[in-house]
Amino acid sequence: MSPLRYLLAAAVLFAFVLDESSSQAQLTPDFYNTTCPNASNIILGVLQNAFNSDIRITASLIRLHFHDCFVNGCDGSILLDNVANDTSIDSEKFSMANNNSARGFEVVDAMKTALESACPGIVSCADILAIASEQSVNLSGGPSWTVPLGRRDGRTANRSLADQNLPTPFQTLDLLKGRFRNVGLNDNTDLVALSGAHTFGRAQCQFFSQRLFNFNGTGNPDPTLNATLLAQLQQLCPQGGNGSVLTNLDLSTPDGFDNDYFSNLQANNGLLQSDQELFSTSGADTIPIVNNFSSNETAFFESFAVSMIRMGNLSLLTGTQGEIRSNCRRVNANNLSTISSSDGGLVSSI
């Protein structure tokens, strides 16, 4: 076993011990070994095919998992479409953080279709997101970790809770910390490690343009934004311009999963305010974590694996709770009565 793989294995073991009293103990990496032994390979096959034509898909899928877990836990609720005459489903796809931004739903659909063909009614949509997230990171050059499995799918979606719980690109560090604490994650290492997922993917002008011309109503740009990057972004995203224009979250290696994100923050090259706040907030306890991850990629990879496992075990449905959806967009009782919803996937961030 390589030193890095050994460290990640130790990190996974640490996460299991750390969360022993929570729902973590109800999950197991070999959950599908008997009922659907090829589940991970089936998901990976669909992912690799999508990746060949859309290099952004890996970042998009991990974002879906993140946005799912922050709203009523990791139950696949972000995947649900609105349903006629069913007020229990208020699609999270239309929340401020997801509308015309979250993407990759059609790839999840393809994964689910392939799994239903091989082993119908076995693999949950929530587990698909967890597995695909780990595979997406590894496929992009990042770490691999053992994914605990056994989540079941929820039967509700909550747009207002998504607006309330999901971190936004415009928040100060204090607000970001509050969002992480509210769902049961820690507000330092988990926050910094999971923010490191912005080491790949894209973002729309609308999510950072407030930094370019009139930051916090000052009439001036955000002073923490590198002057060279500022000039480039002002050309890309002029005042009154198209807010859907995309640019890279990571200036140096936009499609690779590495620790360059943290070096960018040290150079004031964080694209989103919520990213730069981790390093530029005076006296913040996140600054030494950024510095450590910038100088030690192994430390980042190890912490990222632990934090992903912690996040993937928020407020789980297990056992006989919830259901195993046959279609990730619909609860099983509503397979014939859905309302078409935005796929959010054509003009999007990440």
Side-chain angles (χ1 to χ4, degrees):
M1 179 180 291
S2 70
L4 177 56
R5 291 287 294 176
Y6 177 82
L7 285 171
L8 292 178
V12 170
L13 176 62
F14 173 73
F16 271 91
V17 172
L18 187 67
D19 290 341
E20 184 178 6
S21 62
S22 71
S23 326
Q24 169 69 54
Q26 302 179 36
L27 301 185
T28 174
D30 60 1
F31 187 81
Y32 297 114
N33 278 13
T34 300
T35 55
C36 194
N38 292 321
S40 290
N41 287 335
I42 290 169
I43 292 171
L44 181 60
V46 175
L47 174 60
Q48 288 177 320
N49 185 56
F51 184 69
N52 289 338
S53 59
D54 178 11
I55 200 168
R56 296 169 51 205
I57 194 61
T58 50
S60 299
L61 290 174
I62 196 171
R63 187 170 186 253
L64 286 183
H65 184 41
F66 184 103
H67 283 208
D68 180 38
C69 292
F70 266 66
V71 185
N72 281 334
C74 308
D75 64 351
S77 60
I78 192 173
L79 304 173
L80 288 170
D81 288 344
N82 283 327
V83 177
N85 302 316
D86 188 346
T87 58
S88 68
I89 299 177
D90 187 5
S91 181
E92 295 162 22
K93 296 178 181 180
F94 296 105
S95 68
M96 291 181 290
N98 293 324
N99 191 30
N100 292 321
S101 170
R103 65 190 297 270
F105 298 107
E106 71 289 345
V107 176
V108 177
D109 291 341
M111 292 171 176
K112 183 60 175 174
T113 297
L115 287 165
E116 287 298 300
S117 177
C119 37
I122 298 299
V123 182
S124 69
C125 300
D127 273 350
I128 291 173
L129 291 180
I131 295 169
S133 293
E134 185 275 336
Q135 292 175 346
S136 291
V137 169
N138 189 240
L139 190 61
S140 300
S144 177
W145 61 92
T146 302
V147 181
L149 300 169
R151 300 165 189 81
R152 288 173 65 86
D153 298 320
R155 296 189 179 99
T156 64
N158 193 326
R159 174 180 173 178
S160 62
L161 190 61
D163 288 333
Q164 176 183 324
N165 280 13
L166 287 169
T168 78
F170 318 111
Q171 288 181 323
T172 65
L173 182 58
D174 283 344
L175 291 174
L176 291 170
K177 282 175 168 283
R179 296 286 169 104
F180 272 67
R181 289 193 303 267
N182 285 346
V183 298
L185 295 172
N186 67 59
D187 64 6
N188 38 59
T189 304
D190 284 340
L191 170 58
V192 178
L194 293 175
S195 295
H198 284 173
T199 191
F200 62 175
R202 314 286 187 269
Q204 298 176 24
C205 288
Q206 63 176 311
F207 294 123
F208 56 85
S209 59
Q210 89 288 354
R211 305 183 68 198
L212 306 183
F213 303 100
N214 185 28
F215 184 63
N216 290 342
T218 62
N220 296 306
D222 184 344
T224 67
L225 187 56
N226 179 282
T228 300
L229 178 59
L230 171 63
Q232 295 171 351
L233 294 177
Q234 286 177 331
Q235 288 189 359
L236 180 71
C237 308
Q239 286 182 297
N242 183 353
S244 298
V245 172
L246 292 167
T247 194
N248 298 328
L249 282 161
D250 182 341
L251 298 180
S252 51
T253 53
D255 299 316
F257 196 97
D258 52 33
N259 66 337
D260 283 6
Y261 165 85
F262 302 103
S263 301
N264 290 336
L265 299 186
Q266 292 173 320
N268 288 337
N269 282 326
L271 183 66
L272 306 179
Q273 177 186 348
S274 56
D275 291 326
Q276 195 60 51
E277 290 274 342
L278 301 176
F279 184 76
S280 296
T281 302
S282 179
D285 62 353
T286 53
I287 295 173
I289 304 173
V290 170
N291 290 335
N292 181 37
F293 290 168
S294 175
S295 62
N296 188 340
E297 186 173 81
T298 298
F300 166 48
F301 282 5
E302 179 183 352
S303 292
F304 187 81
V306 171
S307 293
M308 283 295 293
I309 291 170
R310 287 168 56 84
M311 186 190 76
N313 287 279
L314 295 176
S315 302
L316 298 179
L317 299 174
T318 59
T320 59
Q321 299 170 320
E323 65 183 17
I324 305 298
R325 288 185 221 140
S326 59
N327 181 328
C328 289
R329 295 175 182 262
R330 309 161 185 170
V331 299
N332 290 339
N334 288 318
N335 276 340
L336 301 178
S337 58
T338 59
I339 299 174
S340 177
S341 72
S342 169
D343 202 29
L346 299 181
V347 182
S348 56
S349 64
I350 307 188

